[in-house]
PDB file of all heavy atoms in Angstrom:
ATOM      1  N   ALA A  95     -23.703 -74.354 -60.279  1.00  0.00           N
ATOM      2  CA  ALA A  95     -24.993 -74.972 -60.574  1.00  0.00           C
ATOM      3  C   ALA A  95     -26.047 -74.518 -59.578  1.00  0.00           C
ATOM      4  O   ALA A  95     -25.739 -74.111 -58.452  1.00  0.00           O
ATOM      5  CB  ALA A  95     -24.881 -76.496 -60.533  1.00  0.00           C
ATOM      6  N   LEU A  96     -27.288 -74.619 -60.038  1.00  0.00           N
ATOM      7  CA  LEU A  96     -28.457 -74.557 -59.158  1.00  0.00           C
ATOM      8  C   LEU A  96     -28.921 -75.997 -58.979  1.00  0.00           C
ATOM      9  O   LEU A  96     -29.244 -76.676 -59.956  1.00  0.00           O
ATOM     10  CB  LEU A  96     -29.562 -73.698 -59.779  1.00  0.00           C
ATOM     11  CG  LEU A  96     -30.905 -73.679 -59.044  1.00  0.00           C
ATOM     12  CD1 LEU A  96     -30.760 -73.131 -57.632  1.00  0.00           C
ATOM     13  CD2 LEU A  96     -31.935 -72.851 -59.821  1.00  0.00           C
ATOM     14  N   LEU A  97     -28.948 -76.459 -57.728  1.00  0.00           N
ATOM     15  CA  LEU A  97     -29.254 -77.849 -57.434  1.00  0.00           C
ATOM     16  C   LEU A  97     -30.749 -78.075 -57.290  1.00  0.00           C
ATOM     17  O   LEU A  97     -31.521 -77.126 -57.105  1.00  0.00           O
ATOM     18  CB  LEU A  97     -28.545 -78.268 -56.139  1.00  0.00           C
ATOM     19  CG  LEU A  97     -27.033 -78.018 -56.094  1.00  0.00           C
ATOM     20  CD1 LEU A  97     -26.495 -78.306 -54.703  1.00  0.00           C
ATOM     21  CD2 LEU A  97     -26.322 -78.860 -57.142  1.00  0.00           C
ATOM     22  N   ASN A  98     -31.151 -79.339 -57.353  1.00  0.00           N
ATOM     23  CA  ASN A  98     -32.531 -79.726 -57.099  1.00  0.00           C
ATOM     24  C   ASN A  98     -32.867 -79.422 -55.642  1.00  0.00           C
ATOM     25  O   ASN A  98     -32.207 -79.920 -54.724  1.00  0.00           O
ATOM     26  CB  ASN A  98     -32.695 -81.222 -57.382  1.00  0.00           C
ATOM     27  CG  ASN A  98     -34.131 -81.698 -57.225  1.00  0.00           C
ATOM     28  OD1 ASN A  98     -34.953 -81.063 -56.565  1.00  0.00           O
ATOM     29  ND2 ASN A  98     -34.443 -82.830 -57.814  1.00  0.00           N
ATOM     30  N   ILE A  99     -33.892 -78.621 -55.416  1.00  0.00           N
ATOM     31  CA  ILE A  99     -34.228 -78.184 -54.067  1.00  0.00           C
ATOM     32  C   ILE A  99     -34.681 -79.328 -53.169  1.00  0.00           C
ATOM     33  O   ILE A  99     -34.624 -79.231 -51.939  1.00  0.00           O
ATOM     34  CB  ILE A  99     -35.292 -77.060 -54.121  1.00  0.00           C
ATOM     35  CG1 ILE A  99     -35.311 -76.272 -52.810  1.00  0.00           C
ATOM     36  CG2 ILE A  99     -36.680 -77.639 -54.457  1.00  0.00           C
ATOM     37  CD1 ILE A  99     -36.096 -74.996 -52.887  1.00  0.00           C
ATOM     38  N   LEU A 100     -35.112 -80.443 -53.757  1.00  0.00           N
ATOM     39  CA  LEU A 100     -35.591 -81.580 -52.968  1.00  0.00           C
ATOM     40  C   LEU A 100     -34.501 -82.611 -52.688  1.00  0.00           C
ATOM     41  O   LEU A 100     -34.752 -83.596 -51.990  1.00  0.00           O
ATOM     42  CB  LEU A 100     -36.772 -82.257 -53.679  1.00  0.00           C
ATOM     43  CG  LEU A 100     -38.008 -81.384 -53.885  1.00  0.00           C
ATOM     44  CD1 LEU A 100     -39.098 -82.168 -54.599  1.00  0.00           C
ATOM     45  CD2 LEU A 100     -38.513 -80.849 -52.560  1.00  0.00           C
ATOM     46  N   SER A 101     -33.299 -82.396 -53.215  1.00  0.00           N
ATOM     47  CA  SER A 101     -32.180 -83.307 -52.976  1.00  0.00           C
ATOM     48  C   SER A 101     -31.257 -82.722 -51.920  1.00  0.00           C
ATOM     49  O   SER A 101     -31.378 -81.555 -51.535  1.00  0.00           O
ATOM     50  CB  SER A 101     -31.395 -83.535 -54.269  1.00  0.00           C
ATOM     51  OG  SER A 101     -32.213 -84.091 -55.271  1.00  0.00           O
ATOM     52  N   ASN A 102     -30.307 -83.546 -51.452  1.00  0.00           N
ATOM     53  CA  ASN A 102     -29.287 -83.013 -50.553  1.00  0.00           C
ATOM     54  C   ASN A 102     -28.502 -81.930 -51.262  1.00  0.00           C
ATOM     55  O   ASN A 102     -28.188 -82.040 -52.453  1.00  0.00           O
ATOM     56  CB  ASN A 102     -28.354 -84.124 -50.089  1.00  0.00           C
ATOM     57  CG  ASN A 102     -28.924 -84.912 -48.932  1.00  0.00           C
ATOM     58  OD1 ASN A 102     -29.579 -84.354 -48.049  1.00  0.00           O
ATOM     59  ND2 ASN A 102     -28.692 -86.218 -48.918  1.00  0.00           N
ATOM     60  N   GLY A 103     -28.179 -80.861 -50.520  1.00  0.00           N
ATOM     61  CA  GLY A 103     -27.600 -79.682 -51.126  1.00  0.00           C
ATOM     62  C   GLY A 103     -26.110 -79.516 -50.899  1.00  0.00           C
ATOM     63  O   GLY A 103     -25.383 -80.473 -50.603  1.00  0.00           O
ATOM     64  N   ALA A 104     -25.668 -78.255 -51.011  1.00  0.00           N
ATOM     65  CA  ALA A 104     -24.246 -77.935 -51.094  1.00  0.00           C
ATOM     66  C   ALA A 104     -23.641 -77.451 -49.788  1.00  0.00           C
ATOM     67  O   ALA A 104     -22.496 -76.989 -49.783  1.00  0.00           O
ATOM     68  CB  ALA A 104     -24.023 -76.892 -52.179  1.00  0.00           C
ATOM     69  N   ALA A 105     -24.356 -77.556 -48.672  1.00  0.00           N
ATOM     70  CA  ALA A 105     -23.763 -77.217 -47.372  1.00  0.00           C
ATOM     71  C   ALA A 105     -22.929 -78.401 -46.902  1.00  0.00           C
ATOM     72  O   ALA A 105     -23.168 -79.005 -45.856  1.00  0.00           O
ATOM     73  CB  ALA A 105     -24.850 -76.872 -46.359  1.00  0.00           C
ATOM     74  N   ALA A 106     -21.929 -78.737 -47.701  1.00  0.00           N
ATOM     75  CA  ALA A 106     -21.140 -79.957 -47.509  1.00  0.00           C
ATOM     76  C   ALA A 106     -19.857 -79.845 -48.319  1.00  0.00           C
ATOM     77  O   ALA A 106     -19.715 -78.964 -49.164  1.00  0.00           O
ATOM     78  CB  ALA A 106     -21.939 -81.178 -47.975  1.00  0.00           C
ATOM     79  N   GLU A 107     -18.934 -80.758 -48.065  1.00  0.00           N
ATOM     80  CA  GLU A 107     -17.672 -80.736 -48.804  1.00  0.00           C
ATOM     81  C   GLU A 107     -17.823 -81.260 -50.228  1.00  0.00           C
ATOM     82  O   GLU A 107     -17.037 -80.900 -51.113  1.00  0.00           O
ATOM     83  CB  GLU A 107     -16.621 -81.549 -48.049  1.00  0.00           C
ATOM     84  CG  GLU A 107     -16.195 -80.887 -46.739  1.00  0.00           C
ATOM     85  CD  GLU A 107     -15.173 -81.684 -45.981  1.00  0.00           C
ATOM     86  OE1 GLU A 107     -15.441 -82.873 -45.676  1.00  0.00           O
ATOM     87  OE2 GLU A 107     -14.087 -81.125 -45.687  1.00  0.00           O
ATOM     88  N   TYR A 108     -18.825 -82.108 -50.453  1.00  0.00           N
ATOM     89  CA  TYR A 108     -19.091 -82.645 -51.794  1.00  0.00           C
ATOM     90  C   TYR A 108     -20.597 -82.688 -52.025  1.00  0.00           C
ATOM     91  O   TYR A 108     -21.381 -82.860 -51.086  1.00  0.00           O
ATOM     92  CB  TYR A 108     -18.530 -84.066 -51.948  1.00  0.00           C
ATOM     93  CG  TYR A 108     -17.032 -84.140 -51.949  1.00  0.00           C
ATOM     94  CD1 TYR A 108     -16.327 -84.217 -50.759  1.00  0.00           C
ATOM     95  CD2 TYR A 108     -16.315 -84.127 -53.148  1.00  0.00           C
ATOM     96  CE1 TYR A 108     -14.938 -84.284 -50.752  1.00  0.00           C
ATOM     97  CE2 TYR A 108     -14.927 -84.198 -53.151  1.00  0.00           C
ATOM     98  CZ  TYR A 108     -14.242 -84.271 -51.949  1.00  0.00           C
ATOM     99  OH  TYR A 108     -12.876 -84.327 -51.950  1.00  0.00           O
ATOM    100  N   VAL A 109     -21.007 -82.539 -53.304  1.00  0.00           N
ATOM    101  CA  VAL A 109     -22.412 -82.663 -53.656  1.00  0.00           C
ATOM    102  C   VAL A 109     -22.520 -83.301 -55.036  1.00  0.00           C
ATOM    103  O   VAL A 109     -21.668 -83.088 -55.907  1.00  0.00           O
ATOM    104  CB  VAL A 109     -23.130 -81.292 -53.629  1.00  0.00           C
ATOM    105  CG1 VAL A 109     -22.635 -80.369 -54.744  1.00  0.00           C
ATOM    106  CG2 VAL A 109     -24.639 -81.455 -53.698  1.00  0.00           C
ATOM    107  N   ALA A 110     -23.567 -84.101 -55.219  1.00  0.00           N
ATOM    108  CA  ALA A 110     -23.845 -84.728 -56.513  1.00  0.00           C
ATOM    109  C   ALA A 110     -25.023 -84.023 -57.171  1.00  0.00           C
ATOM    110  O   ALA A 110     -25.971 -83.619 -56.492  1.00  0.00           O
ATOM    111  CB  ALA A 110     -24.160 -86.210 -56.330  1.00  0.00           C
ATOM    112  N   THR A 111     -24.959 -83.872 -58.488  1.00  0.00           N
ATOM    113  CA  THR A 111     -26.070 -83.267 -59.218  1.00  0.00           C
ATOM    114  C   THR A 111     -26.057 -83.761 -60.660  1.00  0.00           C
ATOM    115  O   THR A 111     -25.029 -84.232 -61.158  1.00  0.00           O
ATOM    116  CB  THR A 111     -25.989 -81.730 -59.195  1.00  0.00           C
ATOM    117  OG1 THR A 111     -27.152 -81.179 -59.831  1.00  0.00           O
ATOM    118  CG2 THR A 111     -24.758 -81.221 -59.936  1.00  0.00           C
ATOM    119  N   LYS A 112     -27.197 -83.638 -61.319  1.00  0.00           N
ATOM    120  CA  LYS A 112     -27.263 -83.993 -62.740  1.00  0.00           C
ATOM    121  C   LYS A 112     -26.396 -83.033 -63.549  1.00  0.00           C
ATOM    122  O   LYS A 112     -26.424 -81.814 -63.339  1.00  0.00           O
ATOM    123  CB  LYS A 112     -28.718 -83.953 -63.228  1.00  0.00           C
ATOM    124  CG  LYS A 112     -29.569 -85.098 -62.674  1.00  0.00           C
ATOM    125  CD  LYS A 112     -30.901 -85.188 -63.366  1.00  0.00           C
ATOM    126  CE  LYS A 112     -31.740 -86.319 -62.802  1.00  0.00           C
ATOM    127  NZ  LYS A 112     -31.113 -87.649 -62.993  1.00  0.00           N
ATOM    128  N   ALA A 113     -25.665 -83.589 -64.500  1.00  0.00           N
ATOM    129  CA  ALA A 113     -24.720 -82.798 -65.280  1.00  0.00           C
ATOM    130  C   ALA A 113     -25.410 -81.709 -66.096  1.00  0.00           C
ATOM    131  O   ALA A 113     -24.820 -80.666 -66.367  1.00  0.00           O
ATOM    132  CB  ALA A 113     -23.916 -83.711 -66.200  1.00  0.00           C
ATOM    133  N   GLU A 114     -26.673 -81.930 -66.490  1.00  0.00           N
ATOM    134  CA  GLU A 114     -27.355 -80.948 -67.338  1.00  0.00           C
ATOM    135  C   GLU A 114     -27.585 -79.612 -66.631  1.00  0.00           C
ATOM    136  O   GLU A 114     -27.831 -78.595 -67.284  1.00  0.00           O
ATOM    137  CB  GLU A 114     -28.702 -81.507 -67.813  1.00  0.00           C
ATOM    138  CG  GLU A 114     -29.704 -81.740 -66.713  1.00  0.00           C
ATOM    139  CD  GLU A 114     -31.021 -82.310 -67.213  1.00  0.00           C
ATOM    140  OE1 GLU A 114     -31.704 -81.605 -67.982  1.00  0.00           O
ATOM    141  OE2 GLU A 114     -31.340 -83.437 -66.852  1.00  0.00           O
ATOM    142  N   TYR A 115     -27.503 -79.593 -65.302  1.00  0.00           N
ATOM    143  CA  TYR A 115     -27.729 -78.359 -64.557  1.00  0.00           C
ATOM    144  C   TYR A 115     -26.435 -77.598 -64.276  1.00  0.00           C
ATOM    145  O   TYR A 115     -26.463 -76.532 -63.664  1.00  0.00           O
ATOM    146  CB  TYR A 115     -28.426 -78.666 -63.236  1.00  0.00           C
ATOM    147  CG  TYR A 115     -29.755 -79.379 -63.394  1.00  0.00           C
ATOM    148  CD1 TYR A 115     -30.107 -80.442 -62.563  1.00  0.00           C
ATOM    149  CD2 TYR A 115     -30.645 -79.007 -64.396  1.00  0.00           C
ATOM    150  CE1 TYR A 115     -31.325 -81.098 -62.721  1.00  0.00           C
ATOM    151  CE2 TYR A 115     -31.861 -79.660 -64.558  1.00  0.00           C
ATOM    152  CZ  TYR A 115     -32.189 -80.711 -63.716  1.00  0.00           C
ATOM    153  OH  TYR A 115     -33.385 -81.358 -63.879  1.00  0.00           O
ATOM    154  N   VAL A 116     -25.315 -78.157 -64.727  1.00  0.00           N
ATOM    155  CA  VAL A 116     -23.993 -77.625 -64.399  1.00  0.00           C
ATOM    156  C   VAL A 116     -23.437 -76.845 -65.584  1.00  0.00           C
ATOM    157  O   VAL A 116     -23.647 -77.215 -66.742  1.00  0.00           O
ATOM    158  CB  VAL A 116     -23.050 -78.789 -64.036  1.00  0.00           C
ATOM    159  CG1 VAL A 116     -21.613 -78.321 -63.914  1.00  0.00           C
ATOM    160  CG2 VAL A 116     -23.501 -79.451 -62.732  1.00  0.00           C
ATOM    161  N   ALA A 117     -22.718 -75.761 -65.279  1.00  0.00           N
ATOM    162  CA  ALA A 117     -22.022 -74.995 -66.322  1.00  0.00           C
ATOM    163  C   ALA A 117     -20.605 -74.700 -65.849  1.00  0.00           C
ATOM    164  O   ALA A 117     -20.349 -74.620 -64.641  1.00  0.00           O
ATOM    165  CB  ALA A 117     -22.753 -73.686 -66.610  1.00  0.00           C
ATOM    166  N   VAL A 118     -19.701 -74.527 -66.809  1.00  0.00           N
ATOM    167  CA  VAL A 118     -18.329 -74.141 -66.463  1.00  0.00           C
ATOM    168  C   VAL A 118     -18.356 -72.741 -65.855  1.00  0.00           C
ATOM    169  O   VAL A 118     -19.035 -71.835 -66.361  1.00  0.00           O
ATOM    170  CB  VAL A 118     -17.427 -74.193 -67.713  1.00  0.00           C
ATOM    171  CG1 VAL A 118     -16.021 -73.682 -67.390  1.00  0.00           C
ATOM    172  CG2 VAL A 118     -17.360 -75.616 -68.253  1.00  0.00           C
ATOM    173  N   ALA A 119     -17.645 -72.558 -64.753  1.00  0.00           N
ATOM    174  CA  ALA A 119     -17.679 -71.302 -64.002  1.00  0.00           C
ATOM    175  C   ALA A 119     -16.978 -70.180 -64.763  1.00  0.00           C
ATOM    176  O   ALA A 119     -16.028 -70.432 -65.516  1.00  0.00           O
ATOM    177  CB  ALA A 119     -17.012 -71.495 -62.646  1.00  0.00           C
ATOM    178  N   PRO A 120     -17.426 -68.947 -64.573  1.00  0.00           N
ATOM    179  CA  PRO A 120     -16.699 -67.810 -65.152  1.00  0.00           C
ATOM    180  C   PRO A 120     -15.307 -67.714 -64.538  1.00  0.00           C
ATOM    181  O   PRO A 120     -15.080 -68.137 -63.404  1.00  0.00           O
ATOM    182  CB  PRO A 120     -17.565 -66.606 -64.774  1.00  0.00           C
ATOM    183  CG  PRO A 120     -18.379 -67.053 -63.606  1.00  0.00           C
ATOM    184  CD  PRO A 120     -18.604 -68.515 -63.793  1.00  0.00           C
ATOM    185  N   LYS A 121     -14.383 -67.153 -65.291  1.00  0.00           N
ATOM    186  CA  LYS A 121     -12.991 -67.067 -64.845  1.00  0.00           C
ATOM    187  C   LYS A 121     -12.637 -65.709 -64.252  1.00  0.00           C
ATOM    188  O   LYS A 121     -11.602 -65.569 -63.592  1.00  0.00           O
ATOM    189  CB  LYS A 121     -12.063 -67.374 -66.024  1.00  0.00           C
ATOM    190  CG  LYS A 121     -12.259 -68.773 -66.608  1.00  0.00           C
ATOM    191  CD  LYS A 121     -11.434 -68.962 -67.872  1.00  0.00           C
ATOM    192  CE  LYS A 121     -11.622 -70.378 -68.430  1.00  0.00           C
ATOM    193  NZ  LYS A 121     -13.032 -70.649 -68.811  1.00  0.00           N
ATOM    194  N   LYS A 122     -13.491 -64.706 -64.460  1.00  0.00           N
ATOM    195  CA  LYS A 122     -13.124 -63.342 -64.073  1.00  0.00           C
ATOM    196  C   LYS A 122     -13.240 -63.104 -62.569  1.00  0.00           C
ATOM    197  O   LYS A 122     -12.634 -62.176 -62.040  1.00  0.00           O
ATOM    198  CB  LYS A 122     -13.998 -62.335 -64.833  1.00  0.00           C
ATOM    199  CG  LYS A 122     -13.561 -60.892 -64.626  1.00  0.00           C
ATOM    200  CD  LYS A 122     -14.141 -59.959 -65.662  1.00  0.00           C
ATOM    201  CE  LYS A 122     -13.593 -58.559 -65.485  1.00  0.00           C
ATOM    202  NZ  LYS A 122     -13.981 -57.670 -66.582  1.00  0.00           N
TER     203      LYS A 122
END
Side-chain angles (χ1 to χ4, degrees):
L96 173 61
L97 306 173
N98 184 340
I99 199 168
L100 298 180
S101 300
N102 278 323
E107 291 179 304
Y108 291 86
V109 68
T111 185
K112 289 191 180 298
E114 65 181 296
Y115 302 137
V116 170
V118 175
K121 299 173 179 62
K122 187 163 185 172

